[in-house]
Amino acid sequence: MIEILILSLIQGITEFLPISSSSHLIIASEYLKLEKNLSIDVSLHIGSFLAVLVYFYKDVLNFYENKVLFLKIIISSIPVMLIGIILFETNLIEKIRNIETIAWATLIFGILLFISDKCKIEKTITENFSLKSAIFIGLFQVLALIPGVSRSGIAITAARFLKFKRVDAAKISFLISIPILGAVSFLGLKNILFSESQYIARLNIFAIIFAFFFSIVTIKYFLKYLNKFSLNIFFYYRFLLGIILLIVAYL
């Protein structure tokens, strides 16, 4: 149960902050020797998925009236889902799930996040989130399949390059995560529903609950943070982590 709590904490925080959930889960599994199977991984994502739906329920309900925004969200999510399926089916994704890749991606895309955050703050999601913007951010988001890049981080980076305000950039990242997390949850749900072990079933339930709680708290306070501060702290964290991982990987 302690392992589930730790994994849920990592998932809930790192899924929505621009620091990469996949890399932190890989690092935790590698160095803390945490056991993590497919059903637990899916449960963690279901928790994060439900948190986004609950926190942005007004925006989700508004999709019915604002079908154009919904279409843009879907279009922006398609590239990463298609490439992700190809990488998963060909097992190429496993070849890049290593500390060296995570180290370089953490460092390089942290620097890119820092540069993008220096762009002018002009645009909002309600007035400026065009189809062109959705496609641009969606194509950037494909890079999130590389461990260490961060899905939220690369989406925010792309949005900041397009001069969206920090809070709006984060909101775009959160809304785009809905189809992606929803797809991951749906595809892996059968592994949870048809689990023959009551013990595993209980672990899955706790993973969903804990991940939901940590995710919704992270979303709330991350948006509050962006109202007052820049993204510099995440660059410093990524830079330090990248350097440490490079030392571990090559020494």
Side-chain angles (χ1 to χ4, degrees):
M1 189 60 68
I2 296 298
E3 291 187 356
I4 295 299
L5 183 62
I6 294 172
L7 289 171
S8 300
L9 177 63
I10 294 172
Q11 168 67 22
I13 294 176
T14 60
E15 177 66 36
F16 300 106
L17 297 185
I19 55 177
S20 178
S21 61
S22 62
S23 66
H24 283 76
L25 289 171
I26 292 171
I27 293 169
S29 299
E30 179 76 19
Y31 295 104
L32 298 180
K33 305 302 179 184
L34 299 179
E35 294 293 332
K36 185 167 75 77
N37 57 42
L38 180 59
S39 66
I40 296 298
D41 188 55
V42 172
S43 297
L44 294 172
H45 282 85
I46 290 175
S48 293
F49 173 59
L50 294 175
V52 179
L53 290 181
V54 170
Y55 195 88
F56 293 104
Y57 76 93
K58 290 183 180 179
D59 297 273
V60 173
L61 292 176
N62 192 46
F63 283 159
Y64 180 76
E65 296 181 359
N66 193 349
K67 294 181 177 63
V68 175
L69 175 60
F70 180 68
L71 179 62
K72 291 172 186 175
I73 295 297
I74 294 298
I75 289 175
S76 193
S77 306
I78 289 175
V80 68
M81 289 194 285
L82 287 178
I83 301 300
I85 291 172
I86 294 172
L87 291 178
F88 180 79
E89 292 296 328
T90 58
N91 207 37
L92 290 175
I93 193 71
E94 293 300 323
K95 295 183 179 180
I96 58 175
R97 291 172 66 86
N98 53 68
I99 298 301
E100 290 88 349
T101 300
I102 292 173
W104 285 111
T106 298
L107 188 60
I108 293 171
F109 287 94
I111 294 172
L112 200 61
L113 176 69
F114 177 80
I115 295 172
S116 71
D117 199 44
K118 302 306 175 187
C119 292
K120 293 181 179 179
I121 300 175
E122 298 176 347
K123 300 179 180 179
T124 64
I125 188 172
T126 53
E127 297 180 4
N128 306 107
F129 188 53
S130 63
L131 181 59
K132 185 178 179 180
S133 298
I135 293 173
F136 180 81
I137 295 171
L139 292 175
F140 254 68
Q141 198 169 219
V142 172
L143 295 169
L145 293 168
I146 303 172
V149 170
S150 170
R151 185 206 57 77
S152 62
I154 199 65
I156 291 172
T157 295
R160 291 292 291 121
F161 273 131
L162 293 175
K163 299 181 181 180
F164 280 92
K165 295 180 179 179
R166 294 187 183 99
V167 172
D168 290 85
K171 188 174 180 179
I172 289 171
S173 168
F174 295 148
L175 292 177
I176 292 174
S177 76
I178 293 176
I180 299 169
L181 291 173
V184 172
S185 301
F186 177 77
L187 293 174
L189 196 58
K190 65 178 181 180
N191 293 293
I192 297 175
L193 295 177
F194 297 103
S195 174
E196 297 180 358
S197 169
Q198 291 187 351
Y199 174 71
I200 295 297
R202 284 197 298 270
L203 288 182
N204 285 326
I205 292 173
F206 280 116
I208 292 172
I209 294 172
F210 290 151
F212 171 84
F213 172 75
F214 291 126
S215 293
I216 207 162
V217 169
T218 300
I219 293 171
K220 178 180 178 180
Y221 287 101
F222 181 45
L223 289 174
K224 284 188 175 183
Y225 175 87
L226 291 180
N227 266 316
K228 298 180 180 180
F229 305 103
S230 71
L231 293 165
N232 286 355
I233 189 172
F234 301 105
F235 160 70
Y236 297 140
Y237 173 78
R238 291 181 65 119
F239 187 84
L240 180 60
L241 178 62
I243 294 299
I244 292 172
L245 291 176
L246 285 174
I247 293 172
V248 171
Y250 293 104
L251 291 183

